[in-house]
Amino acid sequence: MAMPANADALKDEIAPTGKLRVAIGISPAGGAFWSTRTETGYAGVPVDLGKEMAAQLGVPVEYVAYPNSGQITDAAAKNAWDVTFLPKDPERETRMAFGPIYEVADATYIVKSGSAVTNFATLDQDGINVAAVNNTTTMRGAIAHLKHAKVTGYQTYDEIFNLLKSGEIDAFALSRDQLNAMAKRIPGTRVLDETFKQTVTAVAVPLDHPQAAAYITRFMTDAIGNGTLRKAYDNNGLKDTPIRTQTK
């Protein structure tokens, strides 16, 4: 991808510290949003995309780690990061500018071992406790979906994983692919067949960064078309995961 003629002005806006600061969410959940810590730094689809973007811009990359996407959102107006890749929803569109959607995931619930819950109807009952990662699009979707079950937000995936494993919560709301992987790690748990919402993941920059917003749109459009995104998936355990995009 060719850099625009006003490359210096773009760099001043998208990388004002001289580095491209990429906000990432840390968790072993995997998928197209979450990244993990490694012995040498970080790994994940956003890590690879951020590294490629920094290389195109001709600046070093720096990763700014958060325990969830809600905290990335809260930091958008604090000049703490320059670009991120995270789930998009109307609430977040008031706080950052999004580029193309590069993943569409089905959200559902996993229920604890021994649970009598078999579907959404039996899940949505008084006294049922459902966990979600705090202040995320999935949590907001679960709250809107469930009329009787109580939805509680927790800061990290790991915390919820342990609560589900010990049977202290009844269910966990997340994307189906991630829950299917979780079910393999916690015997007896079951992922429900129904879907309560689709979560879409996209590249984003803070508001009022028009050149940066235009650039990330070009970058992600090219990454989807030229194989960069496919390579990032393949490098991060997602070789069997199809790329699902949306134009809006």
Side-chain angles (χ1 to χ4, degrees):
M1 173 178 143
M3 288 289 292
N6 57 343
D8 289 341
L10 169 61
K11 287 182 185 180
D12 288 343
E13 184 176 287
I14 200 170
T17 65
K19 298 179 181 179
L20 184 69
R21 299 170 297 169
V22 182
I24 55 174
I26 299 299
S27 162
F33 161 65
W34 294 107
S35 298
T36 58
R37 284 190 172 88
T38 69
E39 291 182 359
T40 56
Y42 300 98
V45 172
V47 172
D48 288 2
L49 293 175
K51 182 179 180 180
E52 176 66 20
M53 186 180 291
Q56 287 190 6
L57 290 166
V59 297
V61 66
E62 178 181 291
Y63 299 104
V64 186
Y66 295 87
N68 61 55
S69 59
Q71 290 194 7
I72 294 174
T73 303
D74 289 341
K78 299 176 182 178
N79 191 32
W81 54 263
D82 304 312
V83 66
T84 191
F85 304 83
L86 82 172
K88 169 185 174 181
D89 69 6
E91 193 276 337
R92 288 182 177 169
E93 287 185 280
T94 68
R95 305 175 72 178
M96 60 188 86
F98 284 88
I101 291 165
Y102 68 91
E103 187 214 27
V104 182
D106 297 329
T108 186
Y109 308 93
I110 189 172
V111 297
K112 68 180 181 180
S113 178
S115 175
V117 170
T118 58
N119 55 30
F120 286 177
T122 52
L123 175 72
D124 193 13
Q125 302 293 326
D126 294 334
I128 295 287
N129 295 308
V130 178
V133 180
N134 196 48
N135 194 22
T136 60
T137 61
T138 303
M139 180 174 175
R140 285 188 281 274
I143 290 171
H145 174 240
L146 299 173
K147 308 305 179 187
H148 301 282
K150 180 183 179 182
V151 179
T152 301
Y154 297 87
Q155 285 298 91
T156 68
Y157 168 99
D158 286 345
E159 184 180 6
I160 300 172
F161 178 95
N162 290 327
L163 290 171
L164 184 73
K165 187 175 182 180
S166 64
E168 295 178 65
I169 56 172
D170 296 299
F172 179 17
L174 200 65
S175 74
R176 183 177 304 281
D177 288 348
Q178 292 163 338
L179 294 180
N180 284 338
M182 180 184 285
K184 296 176 182 178
R185 299 174 61 196
I186 309 178
T189 55
R190 183 172 62 255
V191 179
L192 301 185
D193 292 334
E194 299 154 286
T195 296
F196 70 85
K197 75 172 302 231
Q198 286 191 321
T199 300
V200 296
T201 304
V203 62
V205 294
L207 290 177
D208 302 321
H209 289 64
Q211 292 186 80
Y215 171 76
I216 63 167
T217 295
R218 294 193 301 272
F219 171 86
M220 207 66 223
T221 299
D222 287 349
I224 292 167
N226 66 18
T228 298
L229 179 60
R230 179 73 266 170
K231 183 179 179 182
Y233 271 49
D234 293 350
N235 287 346
N236 291 283
L238 300 173
K239 287 186 177 181
D240 296 326
T241 300
I243 291 174
R244 299 170 66 188
T245 63
Q246 281 184 1
T247 55
K248 294 183 180 180

